[in-house]
Amino acid sequence: MAAEKPVTPTEEQLEILEYNFCKVNKHPDPTTLCLIAAETGLSEEQTLKWFKQRLAEWRKSEGLPSESGSVRD
């Protein structure tokens, strides 16, 4: 299977992704992820990867562990 080549989102795509990350949900469910992917024109896999990387950046900036885990763990 060929590896998907990395895609750098355009400025417009980044605006949509950032808006959804900050204002809608940092952990989109599969339906929301599908809608965001459709809106940006990226694949669901690319969109999910962006959210995972962005969440790790956000957690680091908040002084939280980069690995996902809840406060209840």
CSV table of all heavy atoms in Angstrom, one decimal, residues 31-56:
chain,number,residue,atom,x,y,z
A,31,THR,N,-18.8,11.8,12.4
A,31,THR,CA,-19.7,12.6,11.6
A,31,THR,C,-19.2,14.0,11.4
A,31,THR,O,-19.1,14.5,10.2
A,31,THR,CB,-21.1,12.6,12.1
A,31,THR,OG1,-21.5,11.3,12.3
A,31,THR,CG2,-22.1,13.3,11.2
A,32,THR,N,-18.8,14.6,12.5
A,32,THR,CA,-18.3,16.0,12.4
A,32,THR,C,-17.0,16.0,11.6
A,32,THR,O,-16.7,16.9,10.8
A,32,THR,CB,-18.0,16.6,13.8
A,32,THR,OG1,-19.2,16.5,14.5
A,32,THR,CG2,-17.6,18.0,13.7
A,33,LEU,N,-16.1,15.0,11.8
A,33,LEU,CA,-14.8,14.9,11.1
A,33,LEU,C,-15.1,14.8,9.6
A,33,LEU,O,-14.4,15.5,8.8
A,33,LEU,CB,-14.0,13.7,11.6
A,33,LEU,CG,-12.6,13.7,11.1
A,33,LEU,CD1,-11.8,14.7,11.8
A,33,LEU,CD2,-12.0,12.3,11.4
A,34,CYS,N,-16.1,14.0,9.2
A,34,CYS,CA,-16.5,13.9,7.8
A,34,CYS,C,-16.9,15.2,7.2
A,34,CYS,O,-16.5,15.6,6.1
A,34,CYS,CB,-17.5,12.8,7.7
A,34,CYS,SG,-18.1,12.5,6.0
A,35,LEU,N,-17.7,16.0,8.0
A,35,LEU,CA,-18.2,17.2,7.5
A,35,LEU,C,-17.1,18.3,7.3
A,35,LEU,O,-17.0,19.0,6.4
A,35,LEU,CB,-19.3,17.8,8.4
A,35,LEU,CG,-20.6,17.0,8.5
A,35,LEU,CD1,-21.5,17.5,9.6
A,35,LEU,CD2,-21.3,17.1,7.2
A,36,ILE,N,-16.1,18.3,8.3
A,36,ILE,CA,-15.0,19.2,8.2
A,36,ILE,C,-14.1,18.8,7.0
A,36,ILE,O,-13.7,19.7,6.3
A,36,ILE,CB,-14.2,19.1,9.5
A,36,ILE,CG1,-15.0,19.7,10.7
A,36,ILE,CG2,-12.9,19.9,9.4
A,36,ILE,CD1,-14.4,19.4,12.1
A,37,ALA,N,-13.9,17.5,6.8
A,37,ALA,CA,-13.1,17.0,5.7
A,37,ALA,C,-13.8,17.5,4.4
A,37,ALA,O,-13.1,18.0,3.5
A,37,ALA,CB,-13.0,15.5,5.7
A,38,ALA,N,-15.1,17.3,4.3
A,38,ALA,CA,-15.8,17.7,3.1
A,38,ALA,C,-15.7,19.3,2.8
A,38,ALA,O,-15.5,19.7,1.7
A,38,ALA,CB,-17.3,17.3,3.2
A,39,GLU,N,-15.8,20.0,3.9
A,39,GLU,CA,-15.7,21.5,3.8
A,39,GLU,C,-14.3,21.9,3.4
A,39,GLU,O,-14.2,22.9,2.6
A,39,GLU,CB,-16.1,22.1,5.2
A,39,GLU,CG,-16.2,23.6,5.1
A,39,GLU,CD,-16.6,24.2,6.5
A,39,GLU,OE1,-16.8,23.5,7.5
A,39,GLU,OE2,-16.7,25.4,6.5
A,40,THR,N,-13.3,21.3,3.9
A,40,THR,CA,-11.9,21.7,3.5
A,40,THR,C,-11.4,21.1,2.2
A,40,THR,O,-10.5,21.6,1.6
A,40,THR,CB,-10.9,21.2,4.6
A,40,THR,OG1,-11.0,19.8,4.8
A,40,THR,CG2,-11.2,21.9,6.0
A,41,GLY,N,-12.0,20.0,1.8
A,41,GLY,CA,-11.6,19.3,0.6
A,41,GLY,C,-10.4,18.3,0.9
A,41,GLY,O,-9.8,17.8,0.0
A,42,LEU,N,-10.1,18.1,2.2
A,42,LEU,CA,-9.1,17.2,2.6
A,42,LEU,C,-9.8,15.8,2.9
A,42,LEU,O,-11.0,15.7,3.1
A,42,LEU,CB,-8.4,17.6,3.9
A,42,LEU,CG,-7.7,19.0,3.8
A,42,LEU,CD1,-7.3,19.4,5.2
A,42,LEU,CD2,-6.4,18.8,2.9
A,43,SER,N,-9.0,14.7,2.9
A,43,SER,CA,-9.5,13.4,3.2
A,43,SER,C,-9.8,13.4,4.7
A,43,SER,O,-9.3,14.2,5.5
A,43,SER,CB,-8.6,12.3,2.8
A,43,SER,OG,-7.5,12.3,3.7
A,44,GLU,N,-10.6,12.4,5.1
A,44,GLU,CA,-10.9,12.3,6.5
A,44,GLU,C,-9.6,11.9,7.3
A,44,GLU,O,-9.4,12.4,8.4
A,44,GLU,CB,-12.0,11.2,6.8
A,44,GLU,CG,-13.4,11.6,6.4
A,44,GLU,CD,-14.4,10.6,6.6
A,44,GLU,OE1,-14.5,10.1,7.8
A,44,GLU,OE2,-15.1,10.2,5.7
A,45,GLU,N,-8.8,11.1,6.7
A,45,GLU,CA,-7.5,10.7,7.3
A,45,GLU,C,-6.6,12.0,7.5
A,45,GLU,O,-6.0,12.1,8.6
A,45,GLU,CB,-6.8,9.7,6.5
A,45,GLU,CG,-7.4,8.3,6.4
A,45,GLU,CD,-8.6,8.3,5.4
A,45,GLU,OE1,-8.8,9.2,4.6
A,45,GLU,OE2,-9.4,7.4,5.6
A,46,GLN,N,-6.5,12.8,6.5
A,46,GLN,CA,-5.7,14.0,6.6
A,46,GLN,C,-6.3,15.0,7.7
A,46,GLN,O,-5.5,15.6,8.4
A,46,GLN,CB,-5.7,14.8,5.3
A,46,GLN,CG,-4.9,14.0,4.2
A,46,GLN,CD,-5.2,14.6,2.8
A,46,GLN,OE1,-6.3,15.1,2.5
A,46,GLN,NE2,-4.1,14.6,2.0
A,47,THR,N,-7.6,15.1,7.7
A,47,THR,CA,-8.3,15.9,8.7
A,47,THR,C,-8.0,15.4,10.1
A,47,THR,O,-7.7,16.2,11.0
A,47,THR,CB,-9.8,16.0,8.4
A,47,THR,OG1,-9.9,16.4,7.0
A,47,THR,CG2,-10.5,17.0,9.3
A,48,LEU,N,-8.2,14.1,10.3
A,48,LEU,CA,-7.9,13.5,11.6
A,48,LEU,C,-6.5,13.7,12.0
A,48,LEU,O,-6.2,14.0,13.2
A,48,LEU,CB,-8.3,12.0,11.6
A,48,LEU,CG,-8.1,11.2,12.9
A,48,LEU,CD1,-9.0,11.8,14.0
A,48,LEU,CD2,-8.4,9.8,12.7
A,49,LYS,N,-5.6,13.5,11.1
A,49,LYS,CA,-4.1,13.7,11.4
A,49,LYS,C,-3.9,15.1,11.9
A,49,LYS,O,-3.2,15.4,12.8
A,49,LYS,CB,-3.3,13.3,10.2
A,49,LYS,CG,-1.8,13.3,10.5
A,49,LYS,CD,-1.0,12.9,9.3
A,49,LYS,CE,0.5,12.9,9.6
A,49,LYS,NZ,1.3,12.4,8.5
A,50,TRP,N,-4.5,16.1,11.2
A,50,TRP,CA,-4.3,17.5,11.5
A,50,TRP,C,-4.8,17.7,12.9
A,50,TRP,O,-4.2,18.4,13.7
A,50,TRP,CB,-5.0,18.4,10.5
A,50,TRP,CG,-4.8,19.8,10.8
A,50,TRP,CD1,-3.7,20.6,10.4
A,50,TRP,CD2,-5.5,20.7,11.7
A,50,TRP,NE1,-3.8,21.9,10.9
A,50,TRP,CE2,-4.9,21.9,11.7
A,50,TRP,CE3,-6.6,20.5,12.5
A,50,TRP,CZ2,-5.3,23.0,12.5
A,50,TRP,CZ3,-7.1,21.6,13.3
A,50,TRP,CH2,-6.5,22.8,13.3
A,51,PHE,N,-6.0,17.2,13.2
A,51,PHE,CA,-6.6,17.4,14.6
A,51,PHE,C,-5.7,16.8,15.6
A,51,PHE,O,-5.5,17.4,16.7
A,51,PHE,CB,-8.0,16.8,14.6
A,51,PHE,CG,-9.1,17.9,14.3
A,51,PHE,CD1,-9.5,18.1,13.0
A,51,PHE,CD2,-9.7,18.6,15.4
A,51,PHE,CE1,-10.4,19.1,12.8
A,51,PHE,CE2,-10.6,19.6,15.1
A,51,PHE,CZ,-11.0,19.8,13.8
A,52,LYS,N,-5.2,15.6,15.4
A,52,LYS,CA,-4.3,14.9,16.4
A,52,LYS,C,-3.1,15.8,16.6
A,52,LYS,O,-2.6,16.0,17.8
A,52,LYS,CB,-3.9,13.5,15.9
A,52,LYS,CG,-5.0,12.5,16.0
A,52,LYS,CD,-4.6,11.2,15.6
A,52,LYS,CE,-5.6,10.1,15.8
A,52,LYS,NZ,-5.2,8.8,15.4
A,53,GLN,N,-2.4,16.3,15.6
A,53,GLN,CA,-1.2,17.1,15.7
A,53,GLN,C,-1.5,18.4,16.4
A,53,GLN,O,-0.8,18.9,17.3
A,53,GLN,CB,-0.6,17.3,14.3
A,53,GLN,CG,0.0,16.1,13.7
A,53,GLN,CD,0.5,16.3,12.3
A,53,GLN,OE1,0.0,17.2,11.6
A,53,GLN,NE2,1.4,15.5,11.9
A,54,ARG,N,-2.7,19.0,16.0
A,54,ARG,CA,-3.1,20.3,16.6
A,54,ARG,C,-3.4,20.1,18.1
A,54,ARG,O,-3.0,21.0,18.9
A,54,ARG,CB,-4.3,20.9,15.9
A,54,ARG,CG,-4.7,22.2,16.4
A,54,ARG,CD,-3.7,23.3,16.2
A,54,ARG,NE,-4.1,24.6,16.6
A,54,ARG,CZ,-4.0,25.0,17.9
A,54,ARG,NH1,-3.5,24.2,18.8
A,54,ARG,NH2,-4.5,26.2,18.2
A,55,LEU,N,-4.0,19.0,18.5
A,55,LEU,CA,-4.4,18.7,19.9
A,55,LEU,C,-3.1,18.5,20.7
A,55,LEU,O,-3.0,19.1,21.8
A,55,LEU,CB,-5.2,17.5,20.0
A,55,LEU,CG,-5.7,17.1,21.4
A,55,LEU,CD1,-6.6,18.3,22.0
A,55,LEU,CD2,-6.5,15.8,21.4
A,56,ALA,N,-2.1,17.9,20.1
A,56,ALA,CA,-0.8,17.7,20.8
A,56,ALA,C,-0.1,19.0,21.0
A,56,ALA,O,0.4,19.3,22.1
A,56,ALA,CB,0.1,16.8,20.0
